Amino acid sequence: MKKPTHERPEGPDLDAMLKRLHLPTVRRLWAELAQRAESEDMSYRTYLEILFSEEIAHRSQTRITRSVRAAHFPFLRTIEEFDFTFQTSLRLKMLGSYLGPELVSEARNVVLSGPTGTGKSHLAIAIAYRAIQNGFEARFVQADVLIGELSHAARLGSIEDALEPYVHPHVLVIDELGYLSHVEDAANVLYRVVNDRYLSGRPILLTTNKPLAALGRVLHDGDLAEAILDRLLERGVHFPMRGRSYRTRRLKHPPNLDQQEDSAA
């Protein structure tokens, strides 16, 4: 059987047709691969399989790159980079299907709580990034930014429009709830996000440095804080993170802020 040739045939312009079909990777590789096909006595089937697998891989990577950019991650971390030997309160197997498509298809929320530096943001971003790799869209936002933006929109009577960017993505990461002081109607606007996503079956990955029992004080409304947690944990899991800060792990004597405050007093 005659193998594909890199010489352009007479008649229709192959390059123009591939351009019209939006197959840039096939267009870039077909001639070079045709030479290889001839030298290796490659079958037509194998030739086409290689070409189209390269096109699919390129499109997948392009989609991931575009989705990561749209997610607005402050940094990119993967689950493979997470140091489970340092964060001993968590094991990879505990994450289970939270790293699979079930995170989205079954709306499995994740709440990560614990002191600063214990890997909460890293883990939330890594789970969201895995969701992107699985074909979904994600969005990252810091809690104070989300609450401040929605609170302002509520005062202007435009909260429905402001909610859309946070309700639409398959996965929403809300980072650092309670790190900064929140406005008085924090519970109201956060509840809107959580409830709208709950009703549409879309998961939230939430991180906080406060115990869950303290979120009523953080959000200025104990009843609404309880309603928020109730919706998050109905189809979700709470992972408490413990231990020293990963950032100061190399210090022989990490700073003890409680001790410093006692000395100052």
Side-chain angles (χ1 to χ4, degrees):
M1 182 180 291
K2 186 178 179 182
K3 299 298 184 289
T5 175
H6 63 282
E7 296 178 0
R8 294 183 182 276
E10 295 183 1
D13 186 340
L14 178 58
D15 190 73
M17 289 189 292
L18 292 173
K19 184 176 181 179
R20 184 174 180 181
L21 290 171
H22 304 289
L23 298 171
T25 305
V26 171
R27 183 182 172 206
R28 175 170 54 87
L29 296 178
W30 76 266
E32 179 183 348
L33 185 60
Q35 291 181 319
R36 177 183 158 193
E38 292 175 353
S39 64
E40 297 180 7
D41 196 28
M42 188 183 295
S43 69
Y44 288 116
R45 181 188 180 92
T46 301
Y47 174 76
L48 290 174
E49 284 176 347
I50 293 174
L51 270 182
F52 286 109
S53 65
E54 289 290 340
E55 182 71 45
I56 290 170
H58 174 76
R59 290 190 179 196
S60 176
Q61 187 55 51
T62 299
R63 183 198 63 79
I64 289 173
T65 300
R66 184 172 59 247
S67 296
V68 167
R69 189 180 304 117
H72 300 292
F73 295 137
F75 51 81
L76 184 59
R77 294 289 186 272
T78 67
I79 197 66
E80 291 78 14
E81 295 172 318
F82 190 81
D83 190 351
F84 288 96
T85 62
F86 186 82
Q87 181 48 253
T88 56
S89 64
L90 192 63
R91 291 289 180 268
L92 178 59
K93 64 181 181 180
M94 295 169 63
L95 297 176
S97 56
Y98 292 94
L99 298 175
E102 299 90 342
L103 174 76
V104 175
S105 64
E106 299 180 10
R108 299 186 175 183
N109 303 303
V110 180
V111 178
L112 301 162
S113 67
T116 184
T118 50
K120 301 183 300 296
S121 298
H122 178 150
L123 194 57
I125 289 172
I127 294 172
Y129 178 60
R130 180 63 65 86
I132 288 175
Q133 291 176 307
N134 288 330
F136 301 106
E137 302 298 326
R139 175 70 188 269
F140 176 99
V141 64
Q142 290 187 339
D144 63 305
V145 173
L146 171 71
I147 291 170
E149 180 182 325
L150 295 182
S151 177
H152 179 68
R155 291 194 297 272
L156 297 178
S158 58
I159 191 169
E160 296 300 331
D161 291 337
L163 279 168
E164 177 59 22
Y166 303 114
V167 175
H168 177 73
H170 296 108
V171 179
L172 178 66
V173 180
I174 303 178
D175 196 39
E176 298 186 340
L177 180 66
Y179 277 71
L180 300 175
S181 298
H182 300 306
V183 294
E184 286 300 316
D185 62 342
N188 292 305
V189 296
L190 183 59
Y191 175 81
R192 287 294 308 273
V193 177
V194 171
N195 191 57
D196 282 7
R197 291 188 65 84
Y198 172 79
L199 294 175
S200 61
R202 300 205 162 185
I204 291 174
L205 312 178
L206 175 73
T207 77
T208 178
N209 67 330
K210 298 293 192 293
L212 299 193
L215 292 185
R217 294 194 301 274
V218 169
L219 297 174
H220 315 296
D221 190 318
D223 291 337
L224 274 180
E226 184 176 347
I228 287 169
L229 288 175
D230 183 63
R231 283 157 177 74
L232 289 175
L233 297 179
E234 178 185 336
R235 297 191 296 255
V237 65
H238 171 220
F239 290 126
M241 313 282 278
R242 304 184 183 91
R244 286 176 48 198
S245 169
Y246 187 80
R247 300 183 188 93
T248 59
R249 67 193 185 285
R250 293 187 178 87
L251 298 179
K252 292 183 179 179
H253 303 289
N256 188 322
L257 297 183
D258 292 335
Q259 201 173 64
Q260 291 178 11
E261 289 175 0
D262 292 341
S263 299

